[in-house]
Amino acid sequence: MSKYQRVFVIVVDSLGAGAAKDAADYGDAGADTLGHISQSVEHFYIPHLQKLGIGNLHPLCQVPPVEHPLAYYTRLNETSRGKDTMTGHWEIMGLKTEKPFITFTENGFPKELIEELEKRTGHKVIGNKSASGTQILDELGEEEIATGHMIVYTSADSVLQICGNEETFDLKELYRCCEIARELTMRDEWKVGRVIARPYIGRKKGEFKRTSNRHDYAVKPFGKTALDALKENGFDVISIGKINDIFAGEGITKVLKSKSSVHGMEQTIETAQTEEFHGLCFVNLVDFDALWGHRRDPKGYAQEIERFDEKLGELLKNLRKDDLLIITADHGNDPTYTGTDHTREKVPFLAYSKAMEGGRELPEGDTFAVIGATVAENFGVPMPQGTIGTSMLSYLK
């Protein structure tokens, strides 16, 4: 019998909670996404996270600890090499990545790759550098519309991104080009974690807007995860947000695409209200990272956390006594730090159920994989061979 019938794991994308033990090895000593956001704003109102124990977990200027936190709380270190989205999520579900994905931040993609991409797609490539999505559109969007050329760019992540105007480039054509790029970047020397289709609308600089028709073409996980274990044993695995893309569909039984982090929370609330599932609802809320972390906007990030907290209050009301909620992150992205890259940080772990007598602090974890192991043990499912992580289920009373 499952201790909890439904488990909700929500990944607040990039909400790091202080420098990881090995942060200095990644050039991230002193990074602290959550703490520095708190220091950067005058008001920070997150009452539901506060009740769960976020202020007990990590010192925050405006959010003092509570005497009786509702959740069990701690911070988790990452054991995989790297600090990107896929590495973090894969580790959450049991996989340790030994070799970081390749990045092309410094000089863009190799000439040989670009020439092959142009030949196969029939489009001349423009851009080919590291840039923010809004910056590259303002710089090259008008040229793409006028010429039919194709904007290709990267970032501090292991990604190849292609922009396409939905009205002039055509969404199907954008996806076709991305599928070709994914095939090419499966070669070891060019292998990136994700190829991302970045559709947009608008006709001139200052008016371009990216749409929700983004699509990620991710490398498949190199081994089976807790998601596969659940699915193979007849349990539901519901993906909300970009979870399905991150795991390339492996181990997923139902997919809900989100237009924003707020929309993702609304989908999670509706799932809690209406879905009689038995298994896992796995949620990624990407706006924290994409809109605020990479753009180094602590005020915008703080406001996004407040919007999340408001929706969290609605979710808490709709949880049943046999539901378990786990809130965590996949890496950091300190909006006050140098550069625009992710930061190697510990991530929060908050676990709450209405069946609990009350929360307390747990020992700090050496891997994100305790989460997948906890979910698997709850449903009586053995973790796949080669995975890591020790369950924390016995702590959650």
Side-chain angles (χ1 to χ4, degrees):
M1 292 290 292
S2 306
K3 182 175 181 180
Y4 301 104
Q5 294 298 299
R6 306 189 303 178
V7 178
F8 296 83
V9 174
I10 298 178
V11 180
V12 183
D13 201 308
S14 84
L15 189 64
K21 292 177 180 179
D22 59 358
D25 296 341
Y26 292 79
D28 293 331
D32 184 357
T33 300
L34 184 55
H36 288 156
I37 288 170
S38 173
Q39 293 171 15
S40 299
V41 295
E42 186 175 348
H43 301 289
F44 195 30
Y45 185 61
I46 48 174
H48 302 103
L49 283 167
Q50 184 180 21
K51 290 175 184 177
L52 292 180
I54 195 74
N56 302 67
L57 181 153
H58 194 61
L60 300 174
C61 297
Q62 311 88 337
V63 188
V66 293
E67 187 175 355
H68 300 292
L70 298 179
Y72 287 82
Y73 62 91
T74 188
R75 296 188 291 178
L76 307 177
N77 288 274
E78 187 168 10
T79 189
S80 295
R81 295 190 63 197
K83 51 181 179 177
D84 59 73
T85 296
M86 288 173 60
T87 300
H89 280 78
W90 288 4
E91 183 167 322
I92 287 171
M93 288 300 151
L95 293 181
K96 179 180 179 180
T97 301
E98 298 283 2
K99 184 179 178 181
F101 290 106
I102 299 173
T103 59
F104 295 92
T105 311
E106 296 281 326
N107 302 304
F109 298 102
K111 178 183 176 184
E112 295 79 11
L113 170 56
I114 295 300
E115 288 178 347
E116 187 68 18
L117 186 59
E118 290 178 331
K119 178 181 176 182
R120 293 278 302 276
T121 63
H123 295 278
K124 176 179 171 58
V125 167
I126 54 177
N128 189 26
K129 61 182 179 180
S130 179
S132 77
T134 51
Q135 172 195 338
I136 204 80
L137 287 180
D138 278 345
E139 179 184 345
L140 297 173
E142 292 179 0
E143 180 180 347
E144 180 179 76
I145 291 169
T147 63
H149 297 338
M150 182 169 68
I151 300 171
V152 174
Y153 70 110
T154 188
S155 70
D157 296 341
S158 178
V159 294
L160 184 153
Q161 302 181 86
I162 303 179
C163 299
N165 188 288
E166 291 197 1
E167 297 172 332
T168 62
F169 198 91
D170 184 62
L171 200 56
K172 288 184 179 179
E173 176 65 5
L174 175 61
Y175 292 162
R176 183 188 74 86
C177 293
C178 286
E179 289 166 5
I180 293 169
R182 177 69 279 177
E183 179 187 338
L184 293 174
T185 55
M186 290 304 294
R187 300 182 193 176
D188 285 342
E189 66 270 27
W190 298 340
K191 186 175 283 188
V192 293
R194 287 174 293 160
V195 171
I196 306 177
R198 292 285 195 178
Y200 67 97
I201 56 174
R203 290 293 181 139
K204 61 182 180 179
K205 180 178 179 180
E207 296 180 358
F208 295 124
K209 292 183 179 179
R210 296 196 296 196
T211 76
S212 60
N213 290 318
R214 161 183 170 159
H215 186 68
D216 292 36
Y217 299 81
V219 175
K220 286 188 176 183
F222 56 83
K224 290 193 174 184
T225 70
L227 305 183
D228 297 292
L230 291 171
K231 181 179 179 180
E232 288 170 6
N233 282 276
F235 293 97
D236 300 301
V237 182
I238 301 171
S239 158
I240 294 181
K242 64 177 186 177
I243 295 295
N244 187 64
D245 289 335
I246 293 167
F247 288 87
E250 299 292 301
I252 307 295
T253 62
K254 182 177 180 178
V255 178
L256 298 174
K257 293 187 69 175
S258 306
K259 298 176 182 177
S260 66
S261 289
V262 169
H263 182 223
M265 282 300 292
E266 290 170 347
Q267 291 171 308
T268 306
I269 293 163
E270 184 176 0
T271 298
Q273 289 174 330
T274 64
E275 290 279 348
E276 296 296 333
F277 70 95
H278 188 198
L280 172 66
C281 177
F282 196 9
V283 183
N284 174 274
L285 306 175
V286 70
D287 288 352
F288 300 86
D289 186 49
L291 297 184
W292 316 116
H294 284 302
R295 297 182 187 177
R296 293 301 185 250
D297 185 346
K299 291 181 174 59
Y301 205 131
Q303 291 168 357
E304 192 72 50
I305 297 173
E306 290 180 334
R307 287 190 285 270
F308 167 71
D309 188 84
E310 183 178 347
K311 293 298 179 184
L312 175 61
E314 294 181 40
L315 176 61
L316 293 173
K317 291 177 184 176
N318 285 282
L319 291 180
R320 303 169 185 172
K321 199 166 184 179
D322 59 356
D323 290 341
L324 173 65
L325 170 66
I326 296 174
I327 299 172
T328 190
D330 54 342
H331 51 73
N333 198 343
D334 187 341
T336 71
Y337 213 66
T338 56
T340 59
D341 195 1
H342 295 156
T343 41
R344 179 79 168 184
E345 295 185 49
K346 301 172 185 179
V347 300
F349 174 89
L350 292 165
Y352 167 75
S353 172
K354 289 182 176 178
M356 292 174 177
E357 298 173 359
R360 62 178 175 85
E361 186 173 11
L362 299 176
E364 185 169 294
D366 289 328
T367 172
F368 300 172
V370 298
I371 296 173
T374 299
V375 175
E377 186 188 6
N378 176 71
F379 293 108
V381 171
M383 287 290 285
Q385 186 175 1
T387 53
I388 62 170
T390 302
S391 172
M392 300 176 77
L393 189 66
S394 62
Y395 288 105
L396 309 180
K397 300 176 181 178

